[in-house]
Amino acid sequence: AQSVTQPDIHITVSEGASLELRCNYSYGATPYLFWYVQSPGQGLQLLLKYFSGDTLVQGIKGFEAEFKRSQSSFNLRKPSVHWSDAAEYFCAVGPAGTGTASKLTFGTGTRLQVTL
Amino acid sequence: EAQVTQNPRYLITVTGKKLTVTCSQNMNHEYMSWYRQDPGLGLRQIYYSMNVEVTDKGDVPEGYKVSRKEKRNFPLILESPSPNQTSLYFCASTALANYNEQFFGPGTRLTVL
């Protein structure tokens, strides 16, 4: 069965510092990987996604993530965090291919706090 | 504007009183899904629908029903709500050709007393 692990429940960083949020997945086939962000009281917004090709993917708001197949990881990074990045971040994995059932499995989330 | 809408956004009800949470998308997406979000558990899929009149159970379907009579709408029905269904609910949709990139609604916070 597919699963996603986000080992850090809560992370605090100072504004301007770099950020890395960890995500490990277990999946029996080629996965599609996603990072979503949830601001307080809001729905989920897609930050970036990985389907194939270049293992370093760029997303919105200055975020990037690197897919490492050998480590089953898809860590999210940002070089300089802004106070507005404070939110909850979810990693998700889904089946590769289009036209198929689009079940996403989510991690339990990492809550990011940014100190000024 | 492309969006997924949910109503109501907030609901407080009592045990056993039937309720429906509506979900509508304006992107002509084939696939729609309901998730519930609980602290420490992330998002778990309740039901999904591949297209009109095609629905299937997700990971936590007990106590819920859905229907898909029109492509744009995917209501979530709680026939007899119980306190353990107190949660934050999200509807999502995607085009099947769109590599699972799901668009989420704003969420419905349900409290069952």
Side-chain angles (χ1 to χ4, degrees):
Chain A
Q2 61 202 53
S3 65
V4 177
T5 302
Q6 293 180 247
D8 304 305
I9 297 173
H10 186 221
I11 284 182
T12 300
V13 299
S14 301
E15 189 174 39
S18 63
L19 170 71
E20 182 170 30
L21 302 182
R22 296 183 290 167
C23 172
N24 292 97
Y25 68 91
S26 174
Y27 200 74
T30 302
Y32 285 169
L33 294 156
F34 306 84
W35 274 99
Y36 283 86
V37 60
Q38 183 181 25
S39 299
Q42 303 296 313
L44 278 75
Q45 180 183 21
L46 181 68
L47 278 177
L48 48 78
K49 55 187 183 281
Y50 172 77
F51 298 145
S52 63
D54 192 346
T55 56
L56 184 64
V57 294
Q58 303 296 321
I60 62 172
K61 304 184 180 185
F63 285 91
E64 65 179 28
E66 186 171 12
F67 171 60
K68 293 185 177 180
R69 185 185 300 275
S70 62
Q71 299 177 20
S72 297
S73 69
F74 189 56
N75 294 347
L76 182 71
R77 301 194 295 248
K78 187 170 185 179
S80 178
V81 170
H82 188 263
W83 64 266
S84 61
D85 293 324
E88 188 150 22
Y89 292 80
F90 292 93
C91 181
V93 62
T98 60
T100 61
S102 301
K103 175 183 168 64
L104 288 183
T105 298
F106 285 82
T108 52
T110 297
R111 182 167 298 278
L112 173 65
Q113 183 177 358
V114 180
T115 57
L116 301 176
Chain B
E1 180 188 356
Q3 60 182 350
V4 179
T5 57
Q6 295 179 225
N7 281 292
R9 294 289 311 278
Y10 302 91
L11 179 61
I12 301 173
T13 189
V14 295
T15 299
K17 185 177 182 181
K18 180 179 179 179
L19 66 92
T20 299
V21 183
T22 64
C23 173
S24 183
Q25 49 93 5
N26 62 1
M27 296 168 279
N28 202 37
H29 286 165
E30 300 90 353
Y31 179 93
M32 297 185 74
S33 179
W34 277 102
Y35 295 88
R36 61 177 288 174
Q37 182 182 15
D38 302 289
L41 298 177
L43 280 82
R44 295 177 293 168
Q45 190 180 51
I46 303 171
Y47 269 95
Y48 66 94
S49 170
M50 297 285 283
N51 215 321
V52 175
E53 303 292 1
V54 181
T55 63
D56 207 348
K57 297 177 180 178
D59 297 320
V60 288
E62 295 77 21
Y64 304 94
K65 287 176 56 178
V66 293
S67 68
R68 188 90 182 273
K69 300 188 187 308
E70 304 167 285
K71 196 171 186 179
R72 63 183 291 125
N73 296 324
F74 190 46
L76 179 69
I77 303 157
L78 284 71
E79 295 270 4
S80 183
S82 62
N84 64 13
Q85 293 178 298
T86 293
S87 188
L88 180 58
Y89 292 87
F90 289 101
C91 181
S93 74
T94 187
L96 287 181
N98 208 22
Y99 297 94
N100 283 321
E101 182 176 337
Q102 298 198 17
F103 293 84
F104 283 80
T108 295
R109 185 166 293 281
L110 172 65
T111 301
V112 183
L113 302 175

